[in-house]
C-alpha cells in the first residue's frame, strides 16, 4: 500500500512538472563569422559569403588578441591590435508543433557589447566542410525578421519569439554583435578593462504556458523576495510575483509559495487565489512569517532555504520559479563596521575581474569555481565584483559559500554626457536580475567618474534614487579615485568608496616628507574629519610582475612611473603597510584590495604585456604572489607559516632581513640549520621580520616552523637562496639579468 502511494505521488508530481516551464540550453553548434563587413545584414551581402566557424557558447573572438604583446596603431590613431566591430552568430533549431499555444523566449546572459537579434523561418541549406559552414549569397533569403536590440555587455536580456517562429519547422537565429566603445553605452571605452566581443555567457530557450510568471521583466526571475524584522525568532518574508496572461480570458489561478529547508522539509508555505486579467502584467503581493529562522551568517553558516513559487490552474502546476532565500540583515555603522544579523562581521574584501589568460571572458563554471576557491583560501569574506555585472553562476555560488558581495554597473573612468539612459537601464537590470541573492549587500553606482561635475552628480543621484526605488533595503555606493572624501562629486550615495594607491600613482608608500600623504597620515586625517561618514577603502594595490625581482626595492614614490620594472617585493611591502593601517582604522568600515587576479588592459597596458599586474595571483591562476599569503595569514583561519621573497633566488647581500608570515605564533627560523632569534614585529601580529641574518656563500636553506600547536602538528615553510657577491645590485635594481635563472 505504501509503495503504491509513493508511486502515485511520484506520477502526480511528474504530471505537474511536465506542464511547467521548460528551460533548454542553447549553447552548442553556433556558426560564427568575424568582420569587418561592408554590407548591412539585411542586404545579405558579404556576411553570408564564405566559411562560418562552428563554435560553442560561451565564446569570444577576443580570447587572445586583447592579451597579446604587440601594439599596432592604425593610420588614424586607432588601436588595431585587437578586433572591435561587427561579428555574427547563427543557429538553427527545430520548433516542435506542440509548442503552439505556448510562449517561447530566448535569453542571453551576456553578450558584449551591442546586440541585434533576427529570426529566419526559412533556413537555407547548409553544407558542413571541415567544421565550418558554407553559405553563398544565393542561398541566403530575405525572410529575417528583427527581434530586438540590447545595449550593454554585462547584463542578461530576453526577447520573446512566440509570434515570429514557425512551429513544426526549422528556425534560425541570427545575432549581430558589436564590441566597439560608444559614448551612449557604458563603459564608454576599453581603457580600464577590455570589452571582449561575443556571446560570452550561456544562452537558453525558455518555453512557458500562456499564463506564466513574467520572463521578460528585464530578464529577472519575475519573483522578488524581501525581508523585514529579521531575528532569530521571526522573519517577515515578502513576495512580489509578476504574472502575465496571454489567453485572452480571465484566468482563475493560485500562486503557491513554499519555503523548503535544506533537507527538503517544508518550513513555511502560502497559497493565494488570484483572478488574472488578460491585460497587462500584474503583481501578486503577499507575506510569509517564518518562525525561528535559520539565519544566513556569511562564511560561518551560509544557510540557504529554497523558495519554490508556482502558478497553479485547475490544481496543476503551469509555471514554477525556484529562488534561494538566505534570511539575514545587513547594517553599516559609521566608524564601527559591518554588522550581519547584529553581529560585527569583518569585510575582508577583494576585487575581481572576470577574465583570464587565453579565455578572455568566455569562462566555464569550473573557471568561476577556481576563482572562488582561491578567494576562499586567502580568507576573504567579501568580493567587489568590479566593474560590471558578473555571471549569475558566480552570484549564486557566493550565496551558497557565504561571501558578501558588492555588485556594480560599468559606469567607470570617463563621462561622455550621453550615457545616462543606458546607465539607468543597466542599473535596473543589475538590481532586478540579482534581487534575490542574499550575498549582495550594496549596489555600486559609479567608479572614478568626475567632470563635468554637475552632470556626474545629477546622474549619480538619479542612479541612487533608482536603486532605492527598486530595492530600498540595500545600500548604494559610489567610488572616487581622489583621497578627498568631500570631493565635489562625492557623497551622493549611502556609502562613499575611496580608491587610492599611496606610493604608486601619487603620495608615498611610507611618509618621507610633509609634502605628500602616505596611507597612515591620510587615514588619521579622515578619521578625525569624517568619523560620521560611511567610508570604504574600495581599492588599493601595486603592480607586481613575478619575473621582476629585487632584493631591496627601497621606498619609491610613484612607482607607476617606472613601468619597465614592477618588482614583486615593492607590491608585497605595499600590502603589508596598507593592511596594517586598514586593520587599525575603524573609520574604514570595509576595504577591497585591487586585485585578486591580474587582468587585461588592452589600451593602457604597461610593462611588456597589455595587462594590469596588481593581481596578487597571476593571470593564469598558477602563481600566488607573496601578497596573497600576507592576506591568508592575516585573514584566514587556516594555519599559515610563509617565508617571503622566494622568487629572489640569487642574493647579493650577505647580511639580509628575512620576513615570515605566521598566524600560529612566533616561528622558529633557521638558516642552514642554525636558529635565528632576533626579530621585530611588522605591521600586524602575523608579521615577523628577522634582522641582520648572515648568509653563506652558495646555497642557503631557510626554514620557518611553529610547533606545539594544540593538534600536535607542526606548520612550516622552506626556501633556498643562492648568495654570491656578484649578484649585488643597487637599491631598486633587478636582482637578476634576463639570462639568469629566476624560479617562479
Amino acid at each position: 500500500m505504501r509503495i503504491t502511494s509513493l508511486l502515485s505521488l511520484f506520477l502526480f508530481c511528474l504530471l505537474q512538472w511536465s506542464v511547467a516551464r521548460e528551460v533548454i540550453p542553447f549553447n552548442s553548434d553556433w556558426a560564427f563569422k568575424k568582420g569587418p563587413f561592408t554590407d548591412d545584414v539585411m542586404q545579405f551581402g558579404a556576411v553570408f559569403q564564405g566559411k562560418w566557424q562552428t563554435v560553442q557558447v560561451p565564446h569570444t573572438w577576443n580570447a587572445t588578441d586583447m592579451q597579446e604583446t604587440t601594439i599596432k596603431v592604425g593610420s588614424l590613431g586607432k588601436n588595431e591590435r585587437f578586433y572591435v566591430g561587427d561579428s555574427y552568430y547563427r543557429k538553427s533549431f527545430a520548433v516542435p508543433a506542440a509548442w503552439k499555444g505556448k510562449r517561447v523566449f530566448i535569453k542571453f546572459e551576456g553578450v558584449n557589447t551591442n546586440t541585434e537579434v533576427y529570426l529566419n523561418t526559412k533556413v537555407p541549406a547548409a553544407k558542413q566542410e571541415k567544421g565550418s559552414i558554407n553559405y553563398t549569397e544565393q542561398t541566403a533569403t530575405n525572410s529575417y525578421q528583427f527581434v530586438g536590440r540590447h545595449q550593454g555587455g554585462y547584463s542578461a536580456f530576453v526577447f520573446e519569439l512566440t509570434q515570429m517562429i514557425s512551429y513544426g519547422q526549422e528556425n534560425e537565429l541570427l545575432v549581430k554583435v558589436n564590441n566597439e566603445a560608444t559614448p551612449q553605452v557604458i563603459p564608454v571605452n576599453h581603457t580600464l578593462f577590455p570589452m571582449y566581443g561575443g556571446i560570452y555567457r550561456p544562452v537558453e530557450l525558455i518555453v512557458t504556458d500562456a499564463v506564466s510568471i513574467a520572463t521578460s521583466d528585464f530578464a529577472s526571475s519575475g519573483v522578488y523576495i524581501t525581508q523585514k524584522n529579521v531575528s532569530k525568532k521571526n522573519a517577515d518574508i515578502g513576495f512580489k510575483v509578476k504574472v502575465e496572461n496571454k489567453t485572452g480570458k480571465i484566468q482563475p489561478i493560485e500562486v503557491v509559495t513554499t519555503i523548503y529547508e535544506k533537507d527538503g522539509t517544508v518550513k513555511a508555505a502560502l497559497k493565494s487565489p488570484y483572478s488574472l486579467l488578460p491585460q497587462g502584467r500584474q503583481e501578486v503581493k503577499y507575506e510569509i512569517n517564518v518562525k525561528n529562522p535559520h539565519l544566513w551568517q556569511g562564511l560561518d553558516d551560509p544557510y540557504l532555504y529554497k523558495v519554490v513559487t508556482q502558478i497553479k490552474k485547475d490544481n496543476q502546476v503551469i509555471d514554477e520559479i525556484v529562488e534561494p532565500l538566505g534570511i539575514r540583515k545587513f547594517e553599516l555603522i559609521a566608524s564601527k563596521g559591518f554588522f550581519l544579523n547584529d553581529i560585527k562581521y569583518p569585510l575582508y574584501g577583494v576585487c575581481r575581474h572576470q577574465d583570464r589568460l587565453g579565455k578572455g571572458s568566455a569562462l566555464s563554471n569550473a573557471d568561476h569555481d577556481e576563482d572562488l576557491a582561491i578567494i576562499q583560501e586567502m580568507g576573504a569574506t567579501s568580493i567587489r565584483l568590479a566593474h560590471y555585472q558578473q555571471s549569475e553562476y558566480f552570484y549564486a555560488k557566493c550565496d551558497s559559500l557565504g561571501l558578501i558581495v558588492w555588485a556594480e554597473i560599468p559606469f567607470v573612468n570617463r563621462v561622455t554626457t550621453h550615457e545616462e539612459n543606458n546607465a539607468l537601464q543597466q542599473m535596473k537590470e543589475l538590481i532586478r536580475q540579482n534581487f534575490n541573492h542574499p550575498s549582495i549587500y550594496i549596489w555600486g553606482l559609479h567608479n572614478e567618474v568626475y567632470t563635468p561635475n554637475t552632470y556626474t552628480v545629477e546622474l549619480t543621484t538619479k542612479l541612487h534614487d533608482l536603486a532605492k526605488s527598486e530595492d530600498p533595503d540595500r545600500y548604494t555606493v559610489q567610488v572616487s579615485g581622489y583621497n578627498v572624501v568631500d570631493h565635489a562629486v562625492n557623497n551622493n550615495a549611502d556609502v562613499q568608496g575611496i580608491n587610492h594607491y599611496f606610493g604608486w600613482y601619487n603620495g608615498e608608500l611610507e611618509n618621507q616628507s610633509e609634502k605628500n600623504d602616505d596611507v597612515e597620515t591620510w587615514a588619521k586625517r579622515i578619521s578625525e574629519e569624517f568619523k560620521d561618514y560611511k567610508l570604504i577603502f574600495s581599492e588599493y594595490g601595486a603592480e607586481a610582475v613575478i619575473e621582476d625581482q629585487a632584493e631591496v626595492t627601497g621606498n619609491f614614490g610613484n612607482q607607476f612611473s617606472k613601468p619597465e620594472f614592477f618588482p614583486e617585493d615593492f607590491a608585497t611591502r605595499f600590502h603589508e603597510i596598507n593592511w596594517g593601517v586598514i586593520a587599525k582604522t575603524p573609520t574604514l568600515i570595509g576595504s577591497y584590495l585591487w586585485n585578486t587576479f591580474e587582468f587585461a588592459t588592452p589600451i593602457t597596458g604597461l610593462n611588456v604585456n597589455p595587462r594590469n599586474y596588481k593581481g596578487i595571483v597571476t593571470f593564469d591562476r598558477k602563481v600566488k604572489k607573496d601578497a596573497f599569503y600576507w592576506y591568508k595569514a592575516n585573514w584566514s583561519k587556516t594555519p599559515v607559516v610563509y617565508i617571503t621573497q622566494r622568487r629572489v633566488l640569487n642574493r647579493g647581500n650577505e647580511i639580509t632581513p628575512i620576513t615570515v608570515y605566521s598566524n600560529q605564533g612566533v616561528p622558529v627560523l633557521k638558516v642552514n640549520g642554525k636558529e635565528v632569534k632576533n626579530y621585530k614585529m611588522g605591521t600586524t601580529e602575523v608579521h615577523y621580520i628577522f634582522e641582520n641574518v648572515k648568509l653563506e656563500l652558495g646555497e642557503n636553506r631557510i626554514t620557518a616552523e611553529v610547533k606545539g600547536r594544540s593538534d600536535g602538528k607542526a606548520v612550516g615553510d622552506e626556501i633556498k637562496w643562492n648568495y654570491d657577491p656578484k649578484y649585488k645590485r643597487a637599491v631598486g635594481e633587478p636582482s637578476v639579468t634576463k639570462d639568469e635563472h629566476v624560479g617562479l
Side-chain angles (χ1 to χ4, degrees):
M1 184 70 177
R2 177 174 171 78
I3 295 175
T4 304
S5 298
L6 289 174
L7 181 60
S8 298
L9 178 62
F10 171 76
L11 291 173
F12 176 71
C13 292
L14 185 64
L15 176 64
Q16 295 206 42
W17 275 75
S18 67
V19 295
R21 71 171 56 198
E22 295 181 70
V23 179
I24 304 163
F26 205 65
N27 302 311
S28 62
D29 299 327
W30 284 81
F32 169 73
K33 194 173 185 184
K34 185 171 73 173
F37 302 99
T38 57
D39 294 335
D40 185 88
V41 61
M42 300 308 288
Q43 296 175 354
F44 304 109
V47 173
F48 291 97
Q49 296 181 18
K51 293 183 177 180
W52 290 63
Q53 178 187 356
T54 301
V55 301
Q56 314 304 314
V57 168
H59 174 263
T60 174
W61 65 76
N62 295 127
T64 58
D65 66 357
M66 282 188 169
Q67 303 170 358
E68 291 174 350
T69 58
T70 303
I71 295 177
K72 176 184 176 183
V73 178
S75 59
L76 299 178
K78 182 179 178 180
N79 189 309
E80 295 177 353
R81 180 175 49 78
F82 55 90
Y83 177 68
V84 295
D86 291 340
S87 290
Y88 290 88
Y89 294 83
R90 61 195 304 176
K91 179 176 172 62
S92 296
F93 62 107
V95 177
W99 285 3
K100 189 72 173 177
K102 300 280 190 178
R103 299 180 71 187
V104 182
F105 302 86
I106 181 83
K107 180 178 180 179
F108 297 86
E109 193 190 328
V111 183
N112 220 338
T113 300
N114 297 314
T115 310
E116 295 176 7
V117 177
Y118 300 85
L119 183 69
N120 182 0
T121 57
K122 298 178 182 178
V123 181
K127 293 182 180 180
Q128 291 278 7
E129 276 189 12
K130 299 179 180 180
S132 297
I133 299 174
N134 282 343
Y135 283 97
T136 66
E137 187 174 1
Q138 286 72 34
T139 60
T141 71
N142 288 318
S143 58
Y144 280 98
Q145 305 171 71
F146 176 73
V147 175
R149 179 180 293 109
H150 183 264
Q151 293 184 313
Y154 301 97
S155 47
F157 56 96
V158 170
F159 296 131
E160 184 167 5
L161 306 177
T162 306
Q163 302 302 322
M164 298 183 179
I165 54 179
S166 182
Y167 296 89
Q169 296 184 30
E170 285 280 306
N171 292 255
E172 183 179 76
L173 278 176
L174 177 68
V175 182
K176 177 183 178 182
V177 184
N178 185 293
N179 67 329
E180 291 181 276
T182 61
Q184 298 84 13
V185 180
I186 58 173
V188 298
N189 57 40
H190 288 265
T191 301
L192 288 188
F193 53 88
M195 289 181 276
Y196 292 96
I199 305 176
Y200 71 97
R201 289 190 190 143
V203 184
E204 57 193 24
L205 283 179
I206 301 172
V207 184
T208 74
D209 193 84
V211 173
S212 63
I213 297 170
T215 300
S216 55
D217 182 33
F218 288 87
S220 71
S221 70
V223 177
Y224 299 89
I225 305 171
T226 56
Q227 306 181 29
K228 300 288 186 185
N229 307 314
V230 172
S231 71
K232 291 182 179 180
K233 294 183 178 180
N234 282 283
D236 295 324
I237 309 301
F239 293 87
K240 179 171 67 176
V241 183
K242 297 189 176 183
V243 289
E244 295 177 331
N245 175 10
K246 299 298 182 181
T247 66
K249 299 178 181 179
I250 293 178
Q251 297 291 337
I253 63 170
E254 290 180 324
V255 180
V256 182
T257 294
T258 309
I259 301 174
Y260 292 95
E261 299 272 14
K262 272 191 175 180
D263 63 5
T265 60
V266 175
K267 179 67 173 177
L270 184 69
K271 182 185 296 184
S272 302
Y274 191 80
S275 182
L276 186 60
L277 300 175
Q279 292 176 295
R281 181 178 290 162
Q282 296 155 61
E283 296 180 355
V284 183
K285 297 181 180 179
Y286 49 94
E287 191 173 273
I288 298 177
N289 179 260
V290 177
K291 302 291 186 184
N292 304 312
H294 190 152
L295 298 183
W296 188 89
Q297 193 60 42
L299 293 176
D300 299 327
D301 187 8
Y303 190 87
L304 288 177
Y305 293 97
K306 181 174 75 171
V307 177
V308 179
T309 302
Q310 298 172 322
I311 304 295
K312 283 188 173 183
K313 187 175 184 299
D314 299 329
N315 207 34
Q316 285 194 340
V317 177
I318 58 175
D319 201 7
E320 179 177 279
I321 293 292
V322 179
E323 290 286 82
L325 173 61
I327 300 178
R328 82 291 180 265
K329 65 177 179 179
F330 299 132
E331 188 174 13
L332 290 170
I333 302 177
S335 296
K336 290 187 178 180
F338 175 81
F339 292 80
L340 177 58
N341 302 320
D342 299 319
I343 299 171
K344 189 170 182 179
Y345 191 86
L347 289 179
Y348 296 153
V350 298
C351 298
R352 187 245 190 184
H353 269 298
Q354 67 182 1
D355 64 334
R356 63 168 56 201
L357 187 65
K359 287 192 171 184
S361 57
L363 304 183
S364 66
N365 288 346
D367 295 326
H368 294 303
D369 287 339
E370 183 180 19
D371 282 6
L372 283 163
I374 291 170
I375 289 168
Q376 282 186 288
E377 180 189 345
M378 68 188 295
T381 63
S382 185
I383 309 177
R384 180 184 177 197
L385 294 177
H387 290 297
Y388 39 77
Q389 183 170 332
Q390 298 197 15
S391 165
E392 161 62 24
Y393 179 84
F394 201 90
Y395 292 109
K397 290 292 290 188
C398 288
D399 294 339
S400 63
L401 295 172
L403 287 160
I404 309 292
V405 171
W406 166 337
E408 64 187 51
I409 59 172
F411 186 24
V412 296
N413 177 245
R414 184 184 165 210
V415 178
T416 66
T417 74
H418 299 285
E419 66 277 274
E420 178 177 319
N421 288 339
N422 187 255
L424 292 168
Q425 168 203 309
Q426 291 198 46
M427 190 85 248
K428 187 174 289 187
E429 290 172 328
L430 175 71
I431 294 172
R432 293 198 185 183
Q433 291 168 22
N434 298 287
F435 193 91
N436 296 329
H437 289 297
S439 55
I440 297 175
Y441 81 105
I442 202 164
W443 303 117
L445 310 181
H446 82 224
N447 179 81
E448 296 183 359
V449 292
Y450 311 111
T451 55
N453 289 353
T454 300
Y455 172 84
T456 302
V457 169
E458 288 180 355
L459 180 49
T460 304
T461 303
K462 289 178 181 179
L463 289 166
H464 168 79
D465 289 346
L466 174 63
K468 302 305 277 191
S469 175
E470 290 282 324
D471 183 11
D473 299 326
R474 286 187 176 96
Y475 293 96
T476 64
V477 59
Q478 65 178 101
V479 176
S480 172
Y482 294 112
N483 63 349
V484 180
V485 175
D486 54 355
H487 185 274
V489 299
N490 288 358
N491 302 311
N492 301 291
D494 296 329
V495 179
Q496 182 59 51
I498 299 292
N499 297 347
H500 212 279
Y501 300 75
F502 293 94
W504 187 256
Y505 296 119
N506 47 49
E508 295 178 344
L509 184 57
E510 295 177 281
N511 193 281
Q512 300 292 312
S513 68
E514 296 183 357
K515 293 182 185 178
N516 298 312
D517 265 353
D518 66 346
V519 66
E520 185 168 23
T521 305
W522 170 74
K524 287 179 180 177
R525 187 175 70 250
I526 66 168
S527 295
E528 294 170 358
E529 297 177 1
F530 301 100
K531 58 184 177 61
D532 297 326
Y533 285 60
K534 295 181 178 71
L535 302 177
I536 289 179
F537 201 178
S538 41
E539 286 181 30
Y540 64 98
E543 312 232 5
V545 179
I546 59 171
E547 292 86 359
D548 290 357
Q549 297 293 333
E551 200 169 340
V552 183
T553 54
N555 180 37
F556 299 120
N558 304 327
Q559 178 65 23
F560 171 75
S561 65
K562 305 178 179 70
E564 69 282 354
F565 185 55
F566 286 160
E568 182 183 1
D569 186 61
F570 180 88
T572 303
R573 291 200 304 117
F574 181 100
H575 285 285
E576 290 171 350
I577 291 166
N578 274 264
W579 176 249
V581 171
I582 294 166
K584 63 183 182 183
T585 306
T587 306
L588 301 172
I589 57 180
S591 62
Y592 293 84
L593 69 89
W594 189 266
N595 195 289
T596 315
F597 308 104
E598 296 172 352
F599 60 94
T601 52
I603 300 293
T604 58
L606 298 172
N607 207 278
V608 177
N609 291 314
R611 190 176 306 169
N612 188 307
Y613 288 94
K614 292 188 184 73
I616 59 174
V617 179
T618 53
F619 202 10
D620 58 9
R621 277 57 170 176
K622 291 182 179 179
V623 178
K624 297 165 184 171
K625 303 175 188 178
D626 285 351
F628 174 91
Y629 292 96
W630 166 246
Y631 289 103
K632 184 176 180 179
N634 277 282
W635 294 351
S636 174
K637 296 176 183 178
T638 303
V640 176
V641 175
Y642 180 86
I643 305 168
T644 68
Q645 285 203 328
R646 62 210 309 110
R647 277 168 284 278
V648 191
L649 298 183
N650 296 321
R651 319 286 295 194
N653 294 315
E654 183 181 20
I655 307 300
T656 184
I658 296 177
T659 295
V660 181
Y661 304 147
S662 171
N663 59 12
Q664 300 298 294
V666 181
V668 175
L669 181 74
K670 293 183 179 180
V671 178
N672 300 317
K674 298 178 183 178
E675 185 175 350
V676 179
K677 295 188 176 181
N678 294 327
Y679 71 87
K680 68 177 182 180
M681 296 305 297
T683 59
T684 74
E685 62 184 10
V686 307
H687 192 187
Y688 296 87
I689 304 171
F690 293 82
E691 300 182 292
N692 301 316
V693 178
K694 186 176 182 179
L695 302 179
E696 296 178 359
L697 189 65
E699 185 178 87
N700 290 261
R701 179 173 175 262
I702 301 160
T703 62
E705 189 175 56
V706 175
K707 296 181 178 179
R709 289 164 15 97
S710 59
D711 60 5
K713 297 180 180 179
V715 181
D717 193 18
E718 177 180 336
I719 64 172
K720 291 180 180 179
W721 284 346
N722 181 40
Y723 163 63
D724 193 312
K726 72 179 182 180
Y727 294 125
K728 191 172 182 65
R729 301 286 189 270
V731 173
E733 292 298 314
S735 293
V736 294
T737 59
K738 291 187 181 297
D739 59 347
E740 291 173 324
H741 173 70
V742 177
L744 301 179

